[in-house]
Amino acid sequence: MYFLKEIILQLFFGLMPLVMFNIYYRDQPRNYSQKFIVITSMLCLFFSMTFGASAVSGYFYDIRYIIMFFGMIFGGIHTGLILLAEFVLYRLYLGGEGMWVAMAILTVTFPLSILLYRLYERAKRKLIITITAGAFFSFVPIVFVYMYNPQSILDHLVFHIFVVPIQNLLGCWLLISLFNKAVLDKQLFIEYAQNERVKAIGHVAASLVHEVRNPLTAIKGFLTLMRGSRLEPGKTERYIDICMSEIERTEYILSEYLSISKPNSDEQVPSDLQAILHITRDVMNPYANLNNVVLEIESPPEPVWILANPDRMKQVLVNFIKNAVEACADTPHGDGRVALNLQISTRKVTLKISDNGVGMTQEQLNHLGSIYFSTKSSGTGLGMTFSYQAVHTFGGTISVESTQGAGTEFTIKLPLYRKKEQGEPWRSGVHIDIKNKDI
């Protein structure tokens, strides 16, 4: 029972990078970094060596070699060298009879780790390399200890034949295989989310073509009038003013579209949500007009400050408004309406996005925001997943009420940002409150 506890403890330490990856990068629009691998691997190595299994005083058996191999695979040779330095320094500190045996083992296992790392990079069947690494890291230390102190092996034969190999083989397979799967899944999500964003921006761009064509048609008409006949100076100036006004309107539409379609950054800064909302409304208006939907907005005249990434906030609004417009596109009598209502209270900013579209069922509401769930037959649902994660990152909450056949209302609440001299901004954890009204 004691040995089982030791195996479980070592496996727990070995899976620490996987657990921390799923926690830290859950709401991040990016994958792991080398810095993350270095930090988590160093922590994992420290704990595994501190609480290593031991059948003979001075001899510690843990998953140190597995962690160094893992660090090389996902962080490169530099990460492996950092972990090597940590191991040497900490093993010297721990001391004991088996200290110099551990150093001798390292002279074999570390070059072996580099060789296996190179093979892993090229291999199509990576599982074979992973299992081979676990086997080598199990038996090489046992062979060295046997050469130095054979009696310690013979006196605890069960421990060395079963516990050490199981600990290393299982640890290597679980850590590398599961972490690799988590990384690939995250990368797949990022790529799908980017494709969803490009798709949404493409739909908006199609509607902008119609919107830009109108002022260009007007400009062309007035220029034709000015060239084809002699006009009074007053009329010529008025026509020029109209043309300039239409050109400025076109420039505004295109510049705001470009501000939304540019790549998102990660930095959160004080952002005026009122200005962001109006900019997004102006960009989405052509899309709403194309679908015969009226887009209304109500907001305070003064700036409404939140701590957020403005590019990601714009994308969140694009996703919500686009979904609301599409939900209203098929409403009877062509009376589709999407209302944006921004309110400010003492500590919170509340944005309500409501429509009179098709609404959602209770089952659809229960899965809303989940990866790959969409109420549209051709959708992936990643636009909403991105939006929920972004609002969570900004310290906000999302709630939704929907009546099937009568419309949906999303309520986004975000902490009101205040400058340092006025106090730090308030933040709250994310939750999703779902209500469904049956007719």
Side-chain angles (χ1 to χ4, degrees), residues 374-394:
S374 175
T375 58
K376 295 174 284 187
S377 58
S378 60
T380 63
L382 290 174
M384 288 302 290
T385 304
F386 167 86
S387 301
Y388 273 63
Q389 291 185 349
V391 171
H392 178 196
T393 303
F394 303 152

Side-chain angles (χ1 to χ4, degrees), residues 244 246-256:
M244 291 299 295
E246 294 296 322
I247 290 171
E248 289 173 2
R249 178 185 162 202
T250 304
E251 284 180 340
Y252 171 78
I253 292 170
L254 293 177
S255 64
E256 298 305 343

